PDB file of all heavy atoms in Angstrom:
ATOM      1  N   GLY A1150      74.128  96.602 107.804  1.00 75.00           N
ATOM      2  CA  GLY A1150      73.129  96.580 108.867  1.00 75.00           C
ATOM      3  C   GLY A1150      71.867  97.309 108.239  1.00 75.00           C
ATOM      4  O   GLY A1150      71.000  96.652 107.737  1.00 75.00           O
ATOM      5  N   ILE A1151      71.869  98.476 108.452  1.00 72.00           N
ATOM      6  CA  ILE A1151      70.840  99.324 107.800  1.00 72.00           C
ATOM      7  C   ILE A1151      71.153  99.350 106.322  1.00 72.00           C
ATOM      8  O   ILE A1151      70.199  99.156 105.467  1.00 72.00           O
ATOM      9  CB  ILE A1151      70.806 100.769 108.410  1.00 72.00           C
ATOM     10  CG1 ILE A1151      70.591 100.840 109.870  1.00 72.00           C
ATOM     11  CG2 ILE A1151      69.847 101.669 107.587  1.00 72.00           C
ATOM     12  CD1 ILE A1151      70.783 102.172 110.463  1.00 72.00           C
ATOM     13  N   MET A1152      72.375  99.613 105.994  1.00 74.00           N
ATOM     14  CA  MET A1152      72.861  99.569 104.548  1.00 74.00           C
ATOM     15  C   MET A1152      72.786  98.136 103.965  1.00 74.00           C
ATOM     16  O   MET A1152      73.134  97.188 104.651  1.00 74.00           O
ATOM     17  CB  MET A1152      74.223 100.088 104.366  1.00 74.00           C
ATOM     18  CG  MET A1152      74.849  99.814 103.095  1.00 74.00           C
ATOM     19  SD  MET A1152      73.949 100.489 101.693  1.00 74.00           S
ATOM     20  CE  MET A1152      74.117 102.250 102.055  1.00 74.00           C
ATOM     21  N   LYS A1153      72.171  97.954 102.824  1.00 82.00           N
ATOM     22  CA  LYS A1153      72.070  96.625 102.215  1.00 82.00           C
ATOM     23  C   LYS A1153      73.221  96.441 101.205  1.00 82.00           C
ATOM     24  O   LYS A1153      73.502  97.296 100.368  1.00 82.00           O
ATOM     25  CB  LYS A1153      70.703  96.481 101.483  1.00 82.00           C
ATOM     26  CG  LYS A1153      69.505  96.564 102.485  1.00 82.00           C
ATOM     27  CD  LYS A1153      68.194  96.436 101.744  1.00 82.00           C
ATOM     28  CE  LYS A1153      67.037  96.421 102.819  1.00 82.00           C
ATOM     29  NZ  LYS A1153      66.902  97.595 103.489  1.00 82.00           N
ATOM     30  N   CYS A1154      73.680  95.206 101.339  1.00 84.00           N
ATOM     31  CA  CYS A1154      74.936  94.889 100.537  1.00 84.00           C
ATOM     32  C   CYS A1154      74.587  94.914  98.971  1.00 84.00           C
ATOM     33  O   CYS A1154      75.385  95.237  98.135  1.00 84.00           O
ATOM     34  CB  CYS A1154      75.534  93.520 100.877  1.00 84.00           C
ATOM     35  SG  CYS A1154      76.243  93.442 102.502  1.00 84.00           S
ATOM     36  N   ASP A1155      73.317  94.612  98.662  1.00 86.00           N
ATOM     37  CA  ASP A1155      73.044  94.518  97.206  1.00 86.00           C
ATOM     38  C   ASP A1155      72.862  95.954  96.690  1.00 86.00           C
ATOM     39  O   ASP A1155      73.181  96.143  95.493  1.00 86.00           O
ATOM     40  CB  ASP A1155      71.686  93.814  96.982  1.00 86.00           C
ATOM     41  CG  ASP A1155      70.527  94.379  97.787  1.00 86.00           C
ATOM     42  OD1 ASP A1155      70.846  94.838  98.888  1.00 86.00           O
ATOM     43  OD2 ASP A1155      69.433  94.327  97.388  1.00 86.00           O
ATOM     44  N   VAL A1156      72.556  96.982  97.485  1.00 83.00           N
ATOM     45  CA  VAL A1156      72.531  98.397  97.090  1.00 83.00           C
ATOM     46  C   VAL A1156      73.925  98.852  96.801  1.00 83.00           C
ATOM     47  O   VAL A1156      74.202  99.453  95.818  1.00 83.00           O
ATOM     48  CB  VAL A1156      71.846  99.151  98.135  1.00 83.00           C
ATOM     49  CG1 VAL A1156      71.883 100.704  97.729  1.00 83.00           C
ATOM     50  CG2 VAL A1156      70.407  98.826  98.283  1.00 83.00           C
ATOM     51  N   ILE A1157      74.881  98.515  97.697  1.00 80.00           N
ATOM     52  CA  ILE A1157      76.238  98.843  97.533  1.00 80.00           C
ATOM     53  C   ILE A1157      76.825  98.213  96.254  1.00 80.00           C
ATOM     54  O   ILE A1157      77.453  98.820  95.505  1.00 80.00           O
ATOM     55  CB  ILE A1157      77.166  98.406  98.771  1.00 80.00           C
ATOM     56  CG1 ILE A1157      76.803  99.287  99.886  1.00 80.00           C
ATOM     57  CG2 ILE A1157      78.672  98.443  98.384  1.00 80.00           C
ATOM     58  CD1 ILE A1157      77.469 100.645  99.862  1.00 80.00           C
ATOM     59  N   ALA A1158      76.608  96.951  96.142  1.00 84.00           N
ATOM     60  CA  ALA A1158      77.099  96.247  94.978  1.00 84.00           C
ATOM     61  C   ALA A1158      76.537  96.752  93.620  1.00 84.00           C
ATOM     62  O   ALA A1158      77.274  97.007  92.714  1.00 84.00           O
ATOM     63  CB  ALA A1158      76.641  94.696  95.057  1.00 84.00           C
ATOM     64  N   GLN A1159      75.269  97.048  93.625  1.00 86.00           N
ATOM     65  CA  GLN A1159      74.705  97.607  92.294  1.00 86.00           C
ATOM     66  C   GLN A1159      75.159  98.963  92.071  1.00 86.00           C
ATOM     67  O   GLN A1159      75.502  99.358  90.907  1.00 86.00           O
ATOM     68  CB  GLN A1159      73.178  97.622  92.433  1.00 86.00           C
ATOM     69  CG  GLN A1159      72.396  97.957  91.063  1.00 86.00           C
ATOM     70  CD  GLN A1159      72.709  96.845  90.022  1.00 86.00           C
ATOM     71  OE1 GLN A1159      72.559  95.658  90.190  1.00 86.00           O
ATOM     72  NE2 GLN A1159      73.387  97.375  88.945  1.00 86.00           N
ATOM     73  N   GLY A1160      75.321  99.787  93.107  1.00 82.00           N
ATOM     74  CA  GLY A1160      75.853 101.088  92.933  1.00 82.00           C
ATOM     75  C   GLY A1160      77.342 100.988  92.453  1.00 82.00           C
ATOM     76  O   GLY A1160      77.755 101.932  91.573  1.00 82.00           O
ATOM     77  N   THR A1161      78.092 100.091  92.957  1.00 82.00           N
ATOM     78  CA  THR A1161      79.464  99.962  92.596  1.00 82.00           C
ATOM     79  C   THR A1161      79.551  99.506  91.035  1.00 82.00           C
ATOM     80  O   THR A1161      80.341 100.114  90.274  1.00 82.00           O
ATOM     81  CB  THR A1161      80.207  98.881  93.454  1.00 82.00           C
ATOM     82  OG1 THR A1161      80.202  99.342  94.776  1.00 82.00           O
ATOM     83  CG2 THR A1161      81.644  98.663  92.973  1.00 82.00           C
ATOM     84  N   VAL A1162      78.740  98.582  90.639  1.00 86.00           N
ATOM     85  CA  VAL A1162      78.763  98.124  89.298  1.00 86.00           C
ATOM     86  C   VAL A1162      78.349  99.268  88.340  1.00 86.00           C
ATOM     87  O   VAL A1162      79.008  99.535  87.343  1.00 86.00           O
ATOM     88  CB  VAL A1162      77.825  96.883  89.188  1.00 86.00           C
ATOM     89  CG1 VAL A1162      77.560  96.549  87.644  1.00 86.00           C
ATOM     90  CG2 VAL A1162      78.242  95.712  89.872  1.00 86.00           C
ATOM     91  N   ASP A1163      77.295  99.980  88.681  1.00 84.00           N
ATOM     92  CA  ASP A1163      76.874 101.090  87.933  1.00 84.00           C
ATOM     93  C   ASP A1163      77.962 102.222  87.800  1.00 84.00           C
ATOM     94  O   ASP A1163      78.196 102.718  86.677  1.00 84.00           O
ATOM     95  CB  ASP A1163      75.632 101.762  88.496  1.00 84.00           C
ATOM     96  CG  ASP A1163      74.437 100.818  88.365  1.00 84.00           C
ATOM     97  OD1 ASP A1163      74.479  99.804  87.655  1.00 84.00           O
ATOM     98  OD2 ASP A1163      73.344 101.083  88.895  1.00 84.00           O
ATOM     99  N   ALA A1164      78.618 102.381  88.821  1.00 82.00           N
ATOM    100  CA  ALA A1164      79.557 103.446  88.952  1.00 82.00           C
ATOM    101  C   ALA A1164      80.826 103.029  87.983  1.00 82.00           C
ATOM    102  O   ALA A1164      81.361 103.884  87.263  1.00 82.00           O
ATOM    103  CB  ALA A1164      80.156 103.704  90.250  1.00 82.00           C
ATOM    104  N   VAL A1165      81.293 101.817  88.143  1.00 84.00           N
ATOM    105  CA  VAL A1165      82.386 101.277  87.304  1.00 84.00           C
ATOM    106  C   VAL A1165      81.993 101.376  85.861  1.00 84.00           C
ATOM    107  O   VAL A1165      82.856 101.846  85.072  1.00 84.00           O
ATOM    108  CB  VAL A1165      82.830  99.851  87.744  1.00 84.00           C
ATOM    109  CG1 VAL A1165      83.814  99.283  86.732  1.00 84.00           C
ATOM    110  CG2 VAL A1165      83.341  99.907  89.136  1.00 84.00           C
ATOM    111  N   LYS A1166      80.921 101.039  85.530  1.00 84.00           N
ATOM    112  CA  LYS A1166      80.383 101.131  84.101  1.00 84.00           C
ATOM    113  C   LYS A1166      80.312 102.472  83.556  1.00 84.00           C
ATOM    114  O   LYS A1166      80.618 102.657  82.409  1.00 84.00           O
ATOM    115  CB  LYS A1166      79.090 100.304  83.991  1.00 84.00           C
ATOM    116  CG  LYS A1166      79.177  98.819  84.138  1.00 84.00           C
ATOM    117  CD  LYS A1166      77.730  98.164  83.924  1.00 84.00           C
ATOM    118  CE  LYS A1166      77.834  96.653  84.053  1.00 84.00           C
ATOM    119  NZ  LYS A1166      76.469  96.067  83.928  1.00 84.00           N
ATOM    120  N   GLU A1167      80.036 103.403  84.482  1.00 83.00           N
ATOM    121  CA  GLU A1167      79.951 104.752  83.929  1.00 83.00           C
ATOM    122  C   GLU A1167      81.227 105.552  83.990  1.00 83.00           C
ATOM    123  O   GLU A1167      81.524 106.328  83.029  1.00 83.00           O
ATOM    124  CB  GLU A1167      78.984 105.519  84.969  1.00 83.00           C
ATOM    125  CG  GLU A1167      78.673 106.957  84.626  1.00 83.00           C
ATOM    126  CD  GLU A1167      77.685 107.664  85.541  1.00 83.00           C
ATOM    127  OE1 GLU A1167      76.864 106.912  86.203  1.00 83.00           O
ATOM    128  OE2 GLU A1167      77.641 108.906  85.564  1.00 83.00           O
ATOM    129  N   VAL A1168      82.066 105.356  84.936  1.00 80.00           N
ATOM    130  CA  VAL A1168      83.357 106.098  84.941  1.00 80.00           C
ATOM    131  C   VAL A1168      84.563 105.295  84.562  1.00 80.00           C
ATOM    132  O   VAL A1168      85.649 105.764  84.370  1.00 80.00           O
ATOM    133  CB  VAL A1168      83.550 106.698  86.349  1.00 80.00           C
ATOM    134  CG1 VAL A1168      82.481 107.571  86.734  1.00 80.00           C
ATOM    135  CG2 VAL A1168      83.826 105.646  87.410  1.00 80.00           C
ATOM    136  N   GLY A1169      84.435 103.948  84.486  1.00 80.00           N
ATOM    137  CA  GLY A1169      85.596 103.129  84.166  1.00 80.00           C
ATOM    138  C   GLY A1169      86.358 102.694  85.523  1.00 80.00           C
ATOM    139  O   GLY A1169      86.223 103.315  86.460  1.00 80.00           O
ATOM    140  N   LEU A1170      87.265 101.713  85.281  1.00 81.00           N
ATOM    141  CA  LEU A1170      88.046 101.263  86.411  1.00 81.00           C
ATOM    142  C   LEU A1170      89.479 101.099  85.858  1.00 81.00           C
ATOM    143  O   LEU A1170      89.792 100.173  85.091  1.00 81.00           O
ATOM    144  CB  LEU A1170      87.454  99.943  86.935  1.00 81.00           C
ATOM    145  CG  LEU A1170      88.190  99.430  88.127  1.00 81.00           C
ATOM    146  CD1 LEU A1170      88.151 100.294  89.323  1.00 81.00           C
ATOM    147  CD2 LEU A1170      87.572  98.015  88.511  1.00 81.00           C
ATOM    148  N   GLU A1171      90.381 101.966  86.299  1.00 85.00           N
ATOM    149  CA  GLU A1171      91.734 101.911  85.865  1.00 85.00           C
ATOM    150  C   GLU A1171      92.665 101.567  87.079  1.00 85.00           C
ATOM    151  O   GLU A1171      93.939 101.432  86.817  1.00 85.00           O
ATOM    152  CB  GLU A1171      92.171 103.216  85.284  1.00 85.00           C
ATOM    153  CG  GLU A1171      91.326 103.671  84.165  1.00 85.00           C
ATOM    154  CD  GLU A1171      91.722 105.075  83.590  1.00 85.00           C
ATOM    155  OE1 GLU A1171      92.734 105.601  84.125  1.00 85.00           O
ATOM    156  OE2 GLU A1171      91.168 105.408  82.528  1.00 85.00           O
ATOM    157  N   VAL A1172      92.108 101.257  88.203  1.00 89.00           N
ATOM    158  CA  VAL A1172      93.065 100.828  89.361  1.00 89.00           C
ATOM    159  C   VAL A1172      92.443  99.543  89.968  1.00 89.00           C
ATOM    160  O   VAL A1172      91.184  99.253  89.810  1.00 89.00           O
ATOM    161  CB  VAL A1172      93.045 101.924  90.403  1.00 89.00           C
ATOM    162  CG1 VAL A1172      93.723 103.182  89.810  1.00 89.00           C
ATOM    163  CG2 VAL A1172      91.646 102.265  91.009  1.00 89.00           C
ATOM    164  N   PRO A1173      93.246  98.854  90.747  1.00 90.00           N
ATOM    165  CA  PRO A1173      92.579  97.601  91.402  1.00 90.00           C
ATOM    166  C   PRO A1173      91.495  97.911  92.361  1.00 90.00           C
ATOM    167  O   PRO A1173      91.490  99.014  93.003  1.00 90.00           O
ATOM    168  CB  PRO A1173      93.816  97.014  92.194  1.00 90.00           C
ATOM    169  CG  PRO A1173      95.056  97.622  91.467  1.00 90.00           C
ATOM    170  CD  PRO A1173      94.639  98.936  91.037  1.00 90.00           C
ATOM    171  N   LEU A1174      90.434  97.089  92.435  1.00 90.00           N
ATOM    172  CA  LEU A1174      89.305  97.309  93.328  1.00 90.00           C
ATOM    173  C   LEU A1174      89.049  96.013  93.994  1.00 90.00           C
ATOM    174  O   LEU A1174      88.887  94.970  93.489  1.00 90.00           O
ATOM    175  CB  LEU A1174      88.080  97.635  92.351  1.00 90.00           C
ATOM    176  CG  LEU A1174      86.785  97.639  93.243  1.00 90.00           C
ATOM    177  CD1 LEU A1174      86.748  98.767  94.216  1.00 90.00           C
ATOM    178  CD2 LEU A1174      85.569  97.872  92.187  1.00 90.00           C
TER     179      LEU A1174
END
């Protein structure tokens, strides 16, 4: 609503690239 899905998506992608992903998402 106020939060934009593309902001969430980009933040998620950046976070995964930075810390890695070892569990299902």
Side-chain angles (χ1 to χ4, degrees):
I1151 301 173
M1152 167 58 67
K1153 295 178 176 61
C1154 292
D1155 56 329
V1156 174
I1157 288 283
Q1159 190 61 57
T1161 301
V1162 170
D1163 291 349
V1165 171
K1166 289 180 178 179
E1167 184 173 338
V1168 305
L1170 182 63
E1171 298 180 359
V1172 297
L1174 173 62

